[in-house]
Amino acid sequence: MASISGIRGESVTTGQPFLREPLARMNYHMLTDVFITRYENTPVWASFDELTRRFMVQAGKLLTEQLFPFYVDGNENKAAKATLQKLHDTLAMELGIDPLSALYNGGYRYPISDILKNFLQRPYEQTESADVFIKRRISLVELGFREFERNVKAANAALPGQLAELRKETPLYELARSLKVSALSEEFSIKHNKVLNDALRENMEELNERFRQAKFPLAYHNGFIQLSSDTVISNEIDKPFWALVSGERWKNVERDMLEAVDRRDNKGRDPALYAAKALESAIKIISGEKGWTRGNENGAAAYIDNLISQKNGRFTEVWEGEALKAFFSKVRNPLGHGPGNEEMPELTTQQDDWAIETCMSWIKSLIRRL
């Protein structure tokens, strides 16, 4: 293969290093949590088959035609182009492969959309690890959906301020209203925001269905792709749980539960402890928002008492409070404190699954009562 002065990347045909001309890029990078890093030591795929090949084509279309359409009415979409370049540069940094696929075909330079598609669709060769090969590409999909979801959440957070500005009686807005300029109307802003949220929901549903069709044991939610092997649990517990905790209000609940799931999937230590932390955070948030927190609570049990208090209207029944307290005393406390000279407490895989699913169910039930 001919050499071109530049920085190393991954060959489109062999996966071996080749030299290339540098890409224009941002000057600074930060460590990014990507699928392949989280699941580096957890084998997922033993082979690359036709279903996997088909998924990679579909993933390319999801990223470059649905989430971030590179062309709109035949013209380059500058915002999408910049975002796709950002996705490329972020993954290239994490994988140590730059560029992700060839920049040129003869004298023709590929647009960034094609560079990413070519990376996803590069033919698999048996000399490579199928597991690593697929994880690299799943990482790109994860980054793309995470970026789109981040944009939607930012738009949701900005909407109240936008509506407040549109309600102000300024000459510009009065003129816009009289001329019926829809882009400056409350109705337009609300509809536009709904379109964004509908697009996120529909694309997430499609991605998870594509995973199912490809027989990938995966599910996407809240910016992360994680292992998911039980369809019933995923549909009845996981999916509604992640939807409920997606807002800023529940960010600590979301963060600890993501950690719990990752630790379970990668056989890390004490996933149930992080699930319990997520449940405790939810209880504290509810107690605080309802005005029941006194400030002298010394543990989860005291916050549970706030929920079951008759004075507070019995947010939960007494028997529910007893069940919650039993979970913290029998599961969380032994894992959360040093055992001294005694045997280190450790749950089985099945017990970790139960603890995570139990905490998800409790959190989901408590939030729905608000």
Side-chain angles (χ1 to χ4, degrees):
M1 181 177 293
S3 294
I4 305 173
S5 178
I7 303 173
R8 292 186 178 273
E10 183 183 63
S11 163
V12 175
T13 56
T14 67
Q16 300 303 312
F18 71 89
L19 298 175
R20 61 89 174 163
E21 152 187 287
L23 276 170
R25 62 190 64 256
M26 294 164 42
N27 292 326
Y28 299 98
H29 291 274
M30 297 177 64
L31 289 172
T32 304
D33 188 345
V34 291
F35 181 84
I36 191 171
T37 303
R38 296 196 307 279
Y39 292 98
E40 184 175 10
N41 298 316
T42 304
V44 180
W45 290 274
S47 62
F48 187 101
D49 59 16
E50 171 59 20
L51 291 177
T52 305
R53 184 205 65 77
R54 190 183 304 167
F55 173 83
M56 296 306 170
V57 175
Q58 295 161 346
K61 289 183 174 294
L62 277 170
L63 288 181
T64 66
E65 297 178 20
Q66 293 180 208
L67 294 184
F68 308 106
F70 190 78
Y71 295 106
V72 176
D73 297 328
N75 299 313
E76 280 191 5
N77 180 347
K78 291 183 179 180
K81 180 179 180 180
T83 299
L84 293 173
Q85 186 69 59
K86 175 185 175 182
L87 297 178
H88 174 281
D89 294 351
T90 300
L91 186 59
M93 174 65 79
E94 297 308 318
L95 297 184
I97 298 171
D98 195 6
L100 296 177
S101 67
L103 300 181
Y104 290 93
N105 181 7
Y108 171 72
R109 180 173 176 122
Y110 291 113
I112 186 61
S113 57
D114 284 356
I115 291 172
L116 294 181
K117 280 185 177 180
N118 291 341
F119 170 70
L120 287 167
Q121 299 173 24
R122 182 168 75 79
Y124 170 69
E125 296 186 1
Q126 297 293 331
T127 54
E128 298 180 78
S129 162
D131 192 58
V132 172
F133 185 90
I134 298 170
K135 284 175 180 175
R136 286 174 177 172
R137 285 144 182 87
I138 293 296
S139 296
L140 177 60
V141 176
E142 178 182 66
L143 286 176
F145 271 79
R146 184 185 301 165
E147 182 67 17
F148 190 82
E149 185 165 357
R150 184 183 293 121
N151 293 343
V152 173
K153 287 182 176 180
N156 291 343
L159 182 62
Q162 291 172 355
L163 295 178
E165 285 296 316
L166 290 171
R167 293 184 187 113
K168 290 181 179 178
E169 295 299 325
T170 63
L172 175 61
Y173 292 119
E174 288 174 5
L175 176 62
R177 290 188 186 102
S178 66
L179 296 176
K180 298 183 178 179
V181 179
S182 62
L184 295 177
S185 72
E186 293 178 54
E187 183 182 8
F188 175 85
S189 296
I190 293 170
K191 284 185 176 179
H192 179 67
N193 185 261
K194 183 178 185 301
V195 167
L196 282 176
N197 281 274
D198 287 348
L200 174 61
R201 175 181 52 78
E202 290 166 5
N203 280 285
M204 283 174 53
E205 289 176 354
E206 179 174 348
L207 176 62
N208 285 322
E209 177 60 20
R210 298 293 184 191
F211 283 151
R212 188 192 67 78
Q213 291 178 1
K215 302 190 186 307
F216 288 176
L218 306 175
Y220 172 86
H221 45 71
N222 299 45
F224 294 89
I225 292 173
Q226 295 182 308
L227 295 184
S228 176
S229 57
D230 191 318
T231 303
V232 174
I233 293 296
S234 179
N235 289 336
E236 297 299 323
I237 298 179
D238 294 2
K239 186 176 178 181
F241 168 81
W242 294 115
L244 283 171
V245 300
S246 63
E248 180 70 15
R249 178 186 189 186
W250 308 103
K251 64 180 180 181
N252 290 328
V253 176
E254 177 189 47
R255 184 179 302 155
D256 279 330
M257 193 60 78
L258 284 167
E259 182 69 21
V261 173
D262 276 346
R263 284 174 178 256
R264 178 196 62 187
D265 292 346
N266 291 290
K267 297 179 174 56
R269 282 195 60 189
D270 301 334
L273 175 60
Y274 286 86
K277 287 175 64 178
L279 176 56
E280 184 173 7
S281 286
I283 292 170
K284 287 182 176 179
I285 291 168
I286 292 169
S287 176
E289 288 190 357
K290 288 288 189 178
W292 301 331
T293 300
R294 304 176 304 279
N296 60 353
E297 290 86 356
N298 58 3
Y303 286 95
I304 293 169
D305 284 340
N306 293 343
L307 270 59
I308 65 176
S309 167
Q310 187 171 9
K311 177 184 175 182
N312 295 336
R314 291 231 195 278
F315 186 79
T316 59
E317 293 297 327
V318 174
W319 67 266
E320 292 177 296
E322 291 173 350
L324 282 168
K325 288 180 181 180
F327 177 84
F328 283 103
S329 65
K330 301 298 183 182
V331 179
R332 196 283 304 275
N333 291 349
L335 295 174
H337 299 289
N341 293 326
E342 297 180 10
E343 191 74 19
M344 180 69 72
E346 187 174 356
L347 301 184
T348 66
T349 300
Q350 293 77 16
Q351 288 169 337
D352 280 330
D353 285 342
W354 169 83
I356 290 172
E357 290 160 14
T358 296
C359 289
M360 283 185 172
S361 294
W362 265 118
I363 293 167
K364 186 175 62 169
S365 175
L366 292 172
I367 291 175
R368 284 177 171 171
R369 301 181 198 200
L370 288 172

